[in-house]
């Protein structure tokens, strides 16, 4: 058996898939925005893929931690008070402030399912793609990465307390079980990413960065299809409800971005906007995965439609981010 010939044949066979993954990885922001729209066009696959959402979340976590560069995190940790302030604002100030406003309007009585939606959109950490989007927008990806990792690691401890304040007895999952589920997802994904990094080596991981990003885009596409389960059918029966919830998800995302930027702008416009973008794009899928099948219909609709701001805001806000980075003297990142 000619192993050299087999290896050559295998490399040729993998050339086309690797090229496709490279293409997707280089155009990650555009591909993510396009996949959000395309996901609506495949409702027949949504119900089939919905049970796989926790697995997709786990895979996305693994890829995110696989891309974590310890040196970049270490550099940002040299200013620990900035990270502490950002995490405290995102994981405590925003959800508690939102809870006070919601309780003032008795949202927990008027619509417990929307109160649960408020919980998953304010208590969740930033999306795992936040550092990649920050880089593509000309912002500091290392800062976004450090804040995201810190928030993710804090989530199993912080989320149950926020749930107790926002939801009291309305949470369809025991807070201790929620913490254990979140901790299991995070610990497992970190362990798998560490093992892959040790086996492949830093150089191979860095060389395959675009391919990893391409796999990430594919997973995001499958995730958005699964998240859209029931959305098209609900739109046909009640289009105004879908339009209203979609508008609400954008309003909440913009509100979190605005209050975070205004609250932290003293640290510099580019850094404040980097953190604000992460605050506006929350990893609701992580909370949904932790709750399993316990998500009621209206909360699920908010989660599903809340993917549109996550997938589209990086493209919408990119010109503004570039101007802020340039005003602070930060080097502009190039498009990939």
């Amino acid at each position: 058996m000619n192993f050299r010939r087999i290896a050559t044949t295998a490399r040729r066979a993998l050339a086309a898939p690797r090229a496709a993954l490279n293409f997707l990885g280089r155009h990650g922001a555009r591909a993510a925005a396009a996949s959000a729209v395309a996901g609506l066009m495949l409702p027949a696959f949504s119900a089939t893929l919905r049970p796989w959402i926790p697995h997709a979340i786990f895979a996305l976590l693994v890829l995110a931690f696989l891309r974590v560069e310890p040196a970049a995190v270490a550099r940002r940790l040299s200013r620990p008070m900035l990270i502490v302030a950002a995490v405290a604002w995102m994981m405590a100030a925003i959800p508690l402030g939102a809870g006070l406003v919601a309780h003032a309007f008795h949202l927990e009585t008027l619509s417990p399912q929307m109160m649960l939606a408020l919980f998953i959109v304010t208590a969740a950490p930033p999306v795992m793609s936040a550092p990649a989007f920050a880089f593509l927008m000309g912002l500091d990806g290392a800062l976004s990465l450090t804040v995201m990792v810190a928030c993710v690691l804090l989530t199993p401890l912080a989320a149950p307390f926020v749930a107790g304040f926002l939801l009291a007895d309305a949470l369809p999952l025991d807070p201790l079980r929620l913490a254990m589920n979140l901790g299991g997802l995070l610990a497992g994904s970190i362990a798998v990413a560490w093992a892959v990094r040790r086996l492949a080596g830093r150089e191979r991981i860095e060389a395959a960065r675009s391919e990893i990003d391409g796999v990430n885009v594919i997973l995001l596409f499958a995730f958005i299809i699964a998240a859209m389960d029931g959305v098209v059918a609900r739109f046909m029966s009640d289009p105004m409800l879908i339009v209203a919830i979609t508008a609400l998800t954008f309003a909440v995302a913009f509100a979190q971005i605005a209050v975070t930027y205004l609250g932290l702008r003293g640290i510099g416009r580019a850094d404040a906007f980097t953190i604000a973008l992460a605050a506006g794009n929350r990893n609701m899928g992580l909370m949904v995965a932790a709750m399993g099948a316990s998500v009621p219909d209206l909360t699920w609709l908010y989660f599903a439609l809340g993917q549109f701001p996550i997938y589209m805001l990086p493209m919408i806000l990119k010109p503004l981010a570039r101007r802020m980075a340039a005003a602070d003297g930060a080097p502009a990142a190039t498009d990939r």
Side-chain angles (χ1 to χ4, degrees):
M1 183 180 295
N2 191 329
F3 289 102
R4 182 174 298 178
R5 181 177 298 175
I6 293 174
T8 301
T9 303
R11 281 195 297 269
R12 289 175 179 172
L14 292 173
R18 290 189 64 182
L21 291 175
N22 262 293
F23 177 82
L24 288 175
R26 288 194 305 271
H27 301 279
R30 296 182 183 89
S35 67
V37 178
L40 282 171
M41 301 177 182
L42 299 168
F45 298 96
S46 297
T48 302
L49 291 176
R50 180 171 175 171
W52 291 89
I53 280 185
H55 304 285
I57 292 295
F58 183 83
L60 288 167
L61 286 169
V62 170
L63 292 179
F65 285 118
L66 191 61
R67 288 291 310 276
V68 168
E69 181 53 57
V73 175
R75 284 193 297 271
R76 269 299 179 173
L77 287 176
S78 63
R79 294 176 62 194
M81 293 310 299
L82 171 60
I83 306 303
V84 170
V87 173
W89 183 272
M90 266 192 272
M91 304 302 291
I94 287 181
L96 295 180
L100 289 174
V101 173
H103 284 307
F105 286 93
H106 305 289
L107 183 62
E108 72 280 6
T109 302
L110 295 174
S111 181
Q113 293 190 27
M114 289 306 294
M115 195 69 170
L116 180 57
L118 182 67
F119 163 67
I120 67 173
V121 78
T122 59
V127 293
M128 290 298 174
S129 55
F133 283 135
F135 174 79
L136 289 168
M137 296 170 74
L139 300 171
D140 188 343
L143 173 60
S144 181
L145 172 65
T146 307
V147 171
M148 182 269 288
V149 171
C151 289
V152 166
L153 295 177
L154 184 64
T155 299
L157 299 176
F161 289 101
V162 174
F165 173 71
L166 286 178
L167 305 170
D169 297 329
L171 180 67
L173 185 67
D174 180 76
L176 178 60
R177 185 181 171 193
L178 175 65
M180 292 178 63
N181 288 352
L182 287 168
L185 278 169
L186 296 173
S189 59
I190 290 171
V192 172
W194 177 84
V196 172
R197 182 176 286 273
R198 286 295 300 270
L199 290 172
R202 178 181 175 182
E203 292 77 12
R204 288 183 179 177
I205 296 295
E206 182 63 25
R209 185 177 65 177
S210 290
E211 286 96 327
I212 294 172
D213 289 345
V215 174
N216 195 65
V217 169
I218 292 172
L219 284 171
L220 287 171
F221 180 51
F223 175 81
I224 195 69
I225 293 174
M228 291 299 127
D229 183 32
V231 172
V232 174
R234 193 65 178 267
F235 178 79
M236 299 303 293
S237 63
D238 194 351
M240 292 307 299
L241 175 66
I242 299 301
V243 171
I245 294 178
T246 302
L248 180 62
T249 64
F250 275 94
V252 170
F254 278 117
Q256 292 194 91
I257 291 171
V259 298
T260 301
Y261 177 75
L262 293 174
L264 300 177
R265 62 181 175 176
I267 66 175
R269 284 177 291 181
D271 281 356
F273 196 77
T274 301
I275 297 169
L277 185 68
N281 290 328
R282 302 296 186 115
N283 193 351
M284 293 183 285
L286 179 63
M287 309 303 288
V288 168
M291 287 189 286
S294 307
V295 183
D297 290 342
L298 195 59
T299 306
W300 179 271
L301 277 179
Y302 188 98
F303 155 70
L305 297 169
Q307 304 309 308
F308 287 109
I310 292 173
Y311 282 59
M312 294 179 176
L313 281 182
M315 292 294 295
I316 295 171
L317 297 176
K318 186 175 181 178
L320 178 59
R322 287 288 178 89
R323 286 198 294 270
M324 289 188 175
D328 277 0
T334 56
D335 284 321
R336 297 196 316 167

